[in-house]
Structure formats: structure tokens, C-alpha cells
Amino acid sequence: MGPYLLGLRLSGRRVLVVGGGRVAQRRVPALLEAGAEVTVVSPSVTPALDDLIAAGRVTWHARPYEVGDCDGAWLVQACTDDRTVNTAVAAEAEAKRVWCVRADDKDASAAWTPASGRVDEISVAVTAGGDPRRAAGIRDAVVEALRDGTVDARRNRTKPVGVALVGGGPGDPGLITVRGRQLLAQADVVVADRLAPRALLDELAPDVELVDAAKVPYGRSLSQETINELLVDRARQGKFVVRLKGGDPFVFGRGGEEMIACAQAGIPVLVVPGITSAVAVPAAAGVPVTHRGVSQEFHVISVHVAPDDPKSTVDWPALARSEGTLVLMMAVERLAKVAEALLRDGRSPETPVMVVQDGTLPTQRAVIASLSTVADRVSAAGIRPPAIVIVGDVVRVGQEVEMVRAERLP
């Protein structure tokens, strides 16, 4: 018999994921998007999952599965590569009348995870007798038709070759370009950054190779040389490779390095620009980076090293003298030294500053302070990367807009 399809509303409900590998990496972001309280049980996890754990979005028990782990769960995902463990997890869930999805055995699984996609307010979920590849294909056709405003199935196009450097935008999966999503759907291999829109990874067909290229600050990371080699190697195997990045590939995204590496190897490269967080995140927080009569220029600065570091190539005295907006990326850990340099070189202590964490995502939050107090305020608020720092009078414009909105509310 076919399954009874049901849309689960998981907000605030505990979901247990046993296993910390690639299958879990695909499913956890989708569960978080649904508002679930996710607990992962596994001796180890992928870097992408590690980042979600460090951010406090996922609870991790760093150990093997134990009887009793299913207690209190509304849904269980058995995602290990050990059939014996998955069988035990499913048996406990069955005994406790908790629905369990087995990643390794569709016939023994009490429930199936559908191939899912979303276009605006429409969610699409497809099961195909437990065949994930077929379900993903049908899902892709429906989603593509909805996205393009047509009723036709997936377009018959010549498959791309080589490598596509795709900018995924600032975080919200709806802010990737249409072209970027089209290429992602055609990929054989996806090499994804930590800041790439993770929810899109759950839309990938089961046979797509997903390479976790997360660079966790002060944590695990894949070297740029290794990433370059991966792109060239998979493309030489005749596979179409999508390098999925956060923001824009050429705005502090090392896209130029990857393009050069592919060019030197004779690999064709397609660049799909993305919405850079340097502009999108301030906008999402209601702050225009330029505003008539306030700021006629804005500067985007990478602060991967502090102003007093010999490796810094930034002219901080010139930025301090400028009246333009400063948009600082990768600056949270070095914010005190940045403020000190700007103050020393002439910026007013009262210059307004906004720091926005997780811009464009449901977890977005912001701290507003002055240049002289921002480092302490950010530390007290527990703001952590990824975050964008906006320095300048445009921050007041955003505050003014919020005040006008508040006054007009009924």
C-alpha cells in the first residue's frame, strides 16, 4: 500500500537524528527550517553540523546510540552507515510508537522522507514507492514548473560541463538567483561553503556528491588548495561541478583563485553572481548603505586580520577620515581593535554602528551602539559570526524608518 502523506508541524517538537554523516547533514537543516528541536546522537559529525552545534541550533550527544534516546521524540531519523544500529533505533521507535525514517532500508522504514521543495508559499513533497531518485526527479519537475510559471516538466537542456561558481546570496535560500538554482539542480557534484544557503542542499538528488567545504572560524576547514584540486578532479571526470558559495563568489569569496585554478587546468568555468551580504544584510536590517544627503559612498572591508597586523593592506587612517559608510566583514572577533583604530585616526566616538548576525535568516538579530561602545555591547550580547558591521550615519536612517513605522502602526 502507498503511504499516507501528512505535513508535520515540528515547531518546538523534539526530533532525534542518529548519525552525523552526509545523510544527517542533508536532513538537519530542513528539520531546523521546520522549527524542530533537533538532537543528534553520533560519535562524530561533519563540519557543517559542527557549525550548527556551535551556534546552539542543534543538541549533540557525542557518543554511539543508546536505548532510551528515542524518549520524548516526535520523529526519529536513523542515518548511520551501520545497518545494525539503524535496526535497533527503528525497533525502539516502533516499540514507543514514534515514527522512524531509516536511511538505509526503505522497506523496513516506518516512514519515508519525501523529496521536498518550496516555491513561495507552496511546498512540494513527493514519494515514489520509496525510490528517492525517482521522487527527486518528479519533485524537480514540479518545482521548476512552479518557479518558471509554466506547467511543463523540466526543460530538456544540454547538460552543462565544467565548473560553475555560484553565489548563493546572503543566507535566505530565496535570495539565490534563478540561474543559480537551475544549475544547482543539474549538478553532479556540489562543493558547498559554510555560509551557502544550507536549506537548498536538501533539494539535491540522492546521487549528487556533496562535498562539505566549510571553513569554521578557528575550527575545522578544507584548505583552498584542496578545494581547487577537488573542482578540477571532478570536472576532469566529466562531472558538472557547482561550487556553491555564500554571497557573491568574487566578494571575499576566493572565486578568483578557483577560476584561475580551473583555467590553468583547461576546465571551463561559468560564474553566476550572487547577492553579496555586504549590501543585502544591511538592507535586511533596514539600513541603506548609501542615502542622499548622508552618505555618497560605501566601503566594503575584510577584517580577517586586525588593523595593526602586518598582513593588513587596509588604509585605516583614510577610512577613518572618510564620511562614507563602512561595511566590515569578518570583523566580530577584532571589533575592539577596529574601533580603536578608527577612533585614533579621527572618527567620532558617537558614530553609530550596527552589528547584524545571521542576516536575512530567521535567526537574524542586531545590536546598535556607538563606535566607542560597540565592542563591549557586542560582547555582552553574545554576537558571533557570521555578522556584518555597519559604521556610519546611515544607521540612524534605519532607526528613523523604524520610528516612522512604529508611529503609523494602529
Side-chain angles (χ1 to χ4, degrees):
M1 295 183 181
Y4 180 83
L5 298 183
L6 188 69
L8 296 181
R9 302 179 68 182
L10 294 174
S11 180
R13 292 180 166 91
R14 180 175 182 263
V15 175
L16 172 67
V17 178
V18 182
R22 292 184 178 181
V23 176
Q25 181 180 315
R26 289 171 181 261
R27 296 186 179 177
V28 166
L31 293 168
L32 293 175
E33 285 286 320
E37 294 180 359
V38 178
T39 297
V40 173
V41 174
S42 178
S44 61
V45 295
T46 67
L49 287 174
D50 200 9
D51 189 50
L52 292 172
I53 292 162
R57 300 190 64 195
V58 173
T59 300
W60 179 30
H61 297 308
R63 57 168 173 76
Y65 158 78
E66 295 175 358
V67 175
D69 283 338
C70 293
D71 289 344
W74 292 73
L75 177 66
V76 175
Q77 298 266 354
C79 302
T80 78
D81 56 3
D82 188 326
R83 183 176 180 83
T84 302
V85 172
N86 291 340
T87 299
V89 173
E92 182 188 355
E94 183 75 14
K96 294 177 178 176
R97 297 187 177 183
V98 179
W99 292 107
C100 178
V101 179
R102 284 189 61 164
D104 63 334
D105 190 334
K106 69 181 181 66
D107 294 321
S109 185
W112 296 333
T113 297
S116 60
R118 187 175 179 85
V119 181
D120 298 326
E121 75 282 0
I122 301 173
S123 295
V124 176
V126 181
T127 62
D131 183 341
R133 183 174 298 182
R134 185 183 182 199
I138 296 171
R139 181 274 318 276
D140 288 347
V142 175
V143 169
E144 188 72 17
L146 289 169
R147 187 173 295 135
D148 291 346
T150 69
V151 294
D152 295 330
R154 177 184 287 185
R155 299 171 182 173
N156 294 321
R157 293 179 174 174
T158 302
K159 186 176 179 179
V161 296
V163 173
L165 305 179
V166 175
D172 182 340
L175 294 178
I176 190 174
T177 64
V178 172
R179 181 62 170 151
R181 292 196 77 155
Q182 289 172 343
L183 293 175
L184 192 61
Q186 298 177 69
D188 298 311
V189 181
V190 175
V191 182
D193 271 355
R194 179 177 71 96
L195 299 182
R198 295 190 182 110
L200 296 178
L201 301 180
D202 193 50
E203 296 183 9
L204 298 176
D207 57 341
V208 175
E209 180 185 1
L210 175 61
V211 179
D212 185 356
K215 290 183 173 66
V216 181
Y218 309 106
R220 293 187 292 179
S221 65
L222 205 61
S223 72
Q224 188 59 50
E225 292 73 18
T226 302
I227 293 172
N228 294 348
E229 292 170 1
L230 276 167
L231 298 178
V232 171
D233 174 71
R234 299 304 191 272
R236 280 179 170 166
Q237 293 178 28
K239 298 179 179 180
F240 175 52
V241 184
V242 169
R243 176 71 169 107
L244 183 63
K245 296 170 169 291
D248 183 275
F250 288 176
V251 180
F252 303 123
R254 297 193 174 183
E257 297 176 42
E258 293 166 356
M259 183 174 62
I260 291 171
C262 290
Q264 290 174 339
I267 303 297
V269 178
L270 172 65
V271 179
V272 180
I275 302 174
T276 175
S277 58
V279 175
V281 170
V287 176
V289 293
T290 62
H291 192 75
R292 187 171 57 169
V294 178
S295 176
Q296 299 180 24
E297 59 182 320
F298 70 96
H299 307 263
V300 181
I301 304 104
S302 167
V303 195
H304 67 282
V305 294
D308 59 356
D309 193 297
K311 296 178 182 177
S312 176
T313 60
V314 178
D315 189 345
W316 289 101
L319 291 175
R321 293 191 300 270
S322 167
E323 296 183 359
T325 305
L326 306 183
V327 180
L328 311 178
M329 306 175 76
M330 298 171 277
V332 171
E333 302 294 336
R334 290 162 286 277
L335 192 51
K337 290 189 175 182
V338 168
E340 179 184 343
L342 292 174
L343 291 169
R344 181 185 63 238
D345 292 320
R347 278 267 177 163
S348 167
E350 301 306 315
T351 302
V353 182
M354 176 183 282
V355 183
V356 185
Q357 177 183 316
D358 293 342
T360 77
L361 296 174
T363 51
Q364 175 178 311
R365 63 185 182 123
V367 169
I368 298 176
S370 66
L371 189 58
S372 61
T373 63
V374 65
D376 290 338
R377 289 286 304 277
V378 164
S379 177
I383 296 291
R384 66 184 300 277
I388 298 293
V389 180
I390 311 146
V391 180
D393 289 337
V394 291
V395 172
R396 292 196 180 100
V397 175
Q399 291 177 290
E400 181 182 347
V401 171
E402 288 303 313
M403 290 177 60
V404 171
R405 286 176 175 169
E407 291 173 356
R408 290 182 176 272
L409 287 176

